[in-house]
Amino acid sequence: MSQATPDLYELYHFVNGEKVAGISGGRVGDVFNPSLGTKAAEVPLASQAEVESAITVAQAAFPAWSGMSVLARSRIMTKFVHLLYKHQHELGELVCKEHGKVIEDAMGSVLRGIEVAEFACGAPHAQKGEFSDNVATGIDIYSMRKPLGVVAGITPFNFPAMIPLWMAGMALVTGNTVVMKPSEKDPSCPLRIAELFHEAGGPAGVFNIVNGDKEAVDTLLNDERIKAVSFVGSTPIAQYVYETATANGKRCQAMGGAKNHMLIMPDADLEDVANALMGAAYGSAGERCMAISVGVCVGDEVADKLIAILKPRVEALRIGPSTETGLEMGALITKEHREKVINYIQMAEDEGSTLVVDGRDFVCERSKHGYFLGGSLIDNVKSDMTSYQEEIFGPVLQIMRVGSFEEGMSLASDHPYGNGTSIFTKSGSAARTYADKVEVGMVGINVPIPVPMAFYSFGGWKASAFGDHNQYGMEGLRFYTKVKTVTARWQEKGLDAEFSLPVLK
Ligand code: NAD
């Protein structure tokens, strides 16, 4: 494998159990170290032919992998989980290096991903079908969950360990083979994860990584050998992926962007709320699809008091390079994304909201070229503002003031996105009504970021998700398997001809 610049580390594809260089003279993408603000590597961007050859490999591996006993696959998954735990710090450091989030946060995301692979080890139980004996005299009926074939995963930049593991765990253990196209912005971690699966005994060709951009995605969407596409990323691309994949007859789940509201009731403990909001809004520099980006205060008194607590804390956020420990926030993914967030802050100001803390001028003295922003806190946000309607995906918390619980719940329900939301209150009745009625897929009650555990499933509503099945958990298992139902008669005496649809007796 050759690399143009000696200072840059090498990146590759991982196909058929081997590192595969991009084709000579092929297109490449830049991978940055966001903490330093420097280019770190060039990633090969796969051509249509390169993706097609990975699909060929995955298809060739399917019969043996799907034909293996479910227990044998689960044992490989268990070894994979052991290796993931063993290498968790290495994976966390890879996340930090190319994403820029702080190490404690990166480690948390690695562990949340491993939990999904751990759940997948239980496939021998979870994949069991149903059986009814003697549904008619001498007739039994049973169902089984069969793998689909070659499935594709397409992942975003913000969780380069966790989201590939959301998909790979359930897809692989149920007997599918995988071609994954991770974000071209931070591909090292998913590459390492696929290598570890191979080291755990996963046969060559079962879990393949092709790096790339739209050309690779379009190849996966259009190749008839791909039976299902799991996508996580921004809403416009999620919608495009969903529409193209389903038009081509594929099963598709496509998770999109978010704008997550926290409803803060007058009876909430505002110190608790502030603690929750600091992590939920500014952790990972707001680059989380479950980040709280809107705090909805019921009453001006709540808003004034909360802002008084938050303002000094936002100004004092500990921000710096991901090589340091004890920080609260790292860099943003790229210079361009940092500019995009800056533009949204300007837009919010131009639209008439109040900039309580402006993080745009923040400079990290220890790493002046890193893609850092300070935290921003914006008050008096109104529902018709574009900066409220759209996802900012940065360290920006917008505060809205409403007169009642109902008005606050309507904001979350009426927003185009519906990924996550939370309510902070001491009222069981308000909490229960909110959880029951709000038009959002994942709800936290006095929990700011309600990402479901591996044995539940992750998915938003409205423009935050397209398709019928959530990610991971039993929903993931359903997505990656199709049901076959067998009706069987074993009896000594012969059959009579029946011309009408039989009514079983
Ligand atoms: P993105 O949509 O830009 O990219 C996601 C994937 O799509 C990448 O692999 C990328 O290479 C590919 N892609 C980009 N443009 C494409 C195009 N024109 N055609 C085909 N493929 C294309 O998203 P991102 O910036 O990497 O990630 C951030 C977004 O992901 C945010 O909107 C965030 O809310 C969302 N996200 C959602 C969830 C969720 O579960 N709902 C989880 C994490 C992130």
Side-chain angles (χ1 to χ4, degrees), residues 355-378:
L355 218 47
V356 179
V357 182
D358 183 352
R360 286 176 290 184
D361 295 332
F362 174 83
V363 176
C364 178
E365 291 301 333
R366 280 112 57 217
S367 187
K368 288 194 170 152
H369 302 291
Y371 310 135
F372 296 101
L373 269 181
S376 291
L377 180 63
I378 304 177

Side-chain angles (χ1 to χ4, degrees), residues 70-142:
V70 64
L71 203 57
R73 282 199 301 269
S74 153
R75 285 192 183 119
I76 291 172
M77 190 55 67
T78 306
K79 281 192 197 145
F80 179 42
V81 168
H82 283 300
L83 284 181
L84 289 168
Y85 274 118
K86 189 172 160 197
H87 292 270
Q88 57 178 290
H89 294 285
E90 178 194 347
L91 295 172
E93 277 163 18
L94 288 176
V95 173
C96 287
K97 188 162 72 171
E98 295 180 354
H99 180 280
K101 64 178 85 182
V102 300
I103 184 67
E104 294 86 348
D105 185 35
M107 289 309 303
S109 73
V110 169
L111 290 170
R112 292 305 296 264
I114 298 175
E115 286 167 9
V116 174
E118 223 164 0
F119 175 76
C121 296
H125 175 74
Q127 205 175 343
K128 281 193 301 194
E130 295 175 312
F131 183 93
S132 300
D133 75 317
N134 228 28
V135 291
T137 310
I139 295 185
D140 304 326
I141 185 164
Y142 60 95

